Amino acid sequence: MLKVKCISNQYRLGGSVSTYPLIVDKVYHVISIGHIPFNSRRYDDYSGPFYKVVNENGLEANYGDDIMRPLNKSEMRDEVLKDLGI
């Protein structure tokens, strides 16, 4: 099972900064990974990946790689050991 770590919970909306219901440095289980399909009218739009996780409000939501990042090998190993209770 893929896990991601929250690296930021802030985004700009207009002129103000808002926050997502996420905890920075917390590890989340990924439900699915999505991409926006290519469209020639949106050729310069970023297409993903977007990670679907359950946020702190208990809702499933998609977050981009500016908010979440996959765990590296050593972090994944630590998570597996933690899951096993070691």
Side-chain angles (χ1 to χ4, degrees):
M1 174 175 275
L2 180 64
K3 294 183 181 183
V4 291
K5 182 181 259 189
C6 178
I7 56 174
S8 173
N9 65 353
Q10 297 184 341
Y11 63 97
R12 291 202 177 276
L13 187 61
S16 63
V17 175
S18 297
T19 59
Y20 290 119
L22 298 168
I23 298 173
V24 176
D25 289 334
K26 182 176 178 181
V27 175
Y28 293 89
H29 294 276
V30 175
I31 298 168
S32 66
I33 300 174
H35 295 274
I36 297 174
F38 176 77
N39 184 321
S40 61
R41 287 182 251 151
R42 295 182 285 107
Y43 65 88
D44 60 345
D45 281 355
Y46 183 66
S47 65
F50 294 96
Y51 302 103
K52 182 180 274 190
V53 301
V54 176
N55 62 26
E56 295 303 311
N57 291 340
L59 303 172
E60 292 181 4
N62 293 304
Y63 300 101
D65 60 0
D66 57 331
I67 303 297
M68 301 281 186
R69 70 163 177 82
L71 296 180
N72 61 35
K73 286 183 180 181
S74 69
E75 291 170 328
M76 197 60 174
R77 179 185 58 82
D78 292 341
E79 283 295 311
V80 169
L81 291 174
K82 186 169 82 175
D83 291 345
L84 294 173
I86 299 175

